[in-house]
Amino acid sequence: YQRRVHGPLPELLVYQWSLLRVLWVGLTCVLGFGVNFSFFLGVGQTSPLTMNLLGHLKTILVFIGGFALFGDSLGGQKVVGILITLFGLGLYSNAKVAETRPKPVELRPKPIETRKAASQP
């Protein structure tokens, strides 16, 4: 009687590992850690909403990277989603910049004091 294990574990156990493949997996781990750590640092400096929008930007970069590097298809739905997301990111960025821009100071001319008013105590 032989027990069968289902899922990716049996395939992983018989996978032919080479030094190059181990390096690629290691690089992927380091890059994944870097992304997560940068988000951890970013939450303390920005708002959760900003971090959420950066997550959407990361997803767009994954789609574009898959298309450029691996020839994945970019269907019409993905392209429309990317464009809507970029438009929303642009609106949010514009609102944040306008929020941090210093307010213009209104300069009012000083009233002219007469000698009589200036000499009275």
Side-chain angles (χ1 to χ4, degrees):
Y1 171 73
Q2 184 179 8
R3 184 176 172 189
R4 290 223 13 118
V5 178
H6 297 285
L9 185 60
E11 294 174 19
L12 183 62
L13 294 174
V14 297
Y15 189 75
Q16 298 296 317
W17 290 95
S18 68
L19 179 62
L20 181 62
R21 290 176 179 164
V22 170
L23 290 175
W24 277 115
V25 169
L27 178 64
T28 303
C29 292
V30 168
L31 291 175
F33 176 80
V35 166
N36 289 324
F37 190 66
S38 68
F39 268 63
F40 169 74
L41 294 176
V43 167
Q45 302 298 319
T46 63
S47 70
L49 177 60
T50 301
M51 296 310 298
N52 192 340
L53 292 174
L54 285 175
H56 290 303
L57 181 62
K58 183 180 75 167
T59 302
I60 289 173
L61 294 176
V62 167
F63 286 154
I64 293 172
F67 173 75
L69 298 174
F70 304 112
D72 290 350
S73 67
L74 276 181
Q77 188 176 10
K78 279 185 186 177
V79 171
V80 169
I82 287 171
L83 292 175
I84 290 171
T85 303
L86 289 174
F87 180 72
L89 286 171
L91 288 177
Y92 178 75
S93 298
N94 189 30
K96 288 299 276 186
V97 167
E99 181 181 283
T100 59
R101 192 174 296 141
K103 306 282 187 264
V105 178
E106 186 178 319
L107 298 176
R108 294 183 182 175
K110 286 185 175 182
I112 300 173
E113 295 182 27
T114 60
R115 287 185 189 201
K116 189 176 190 184
S119 64
Q120 292 178 353

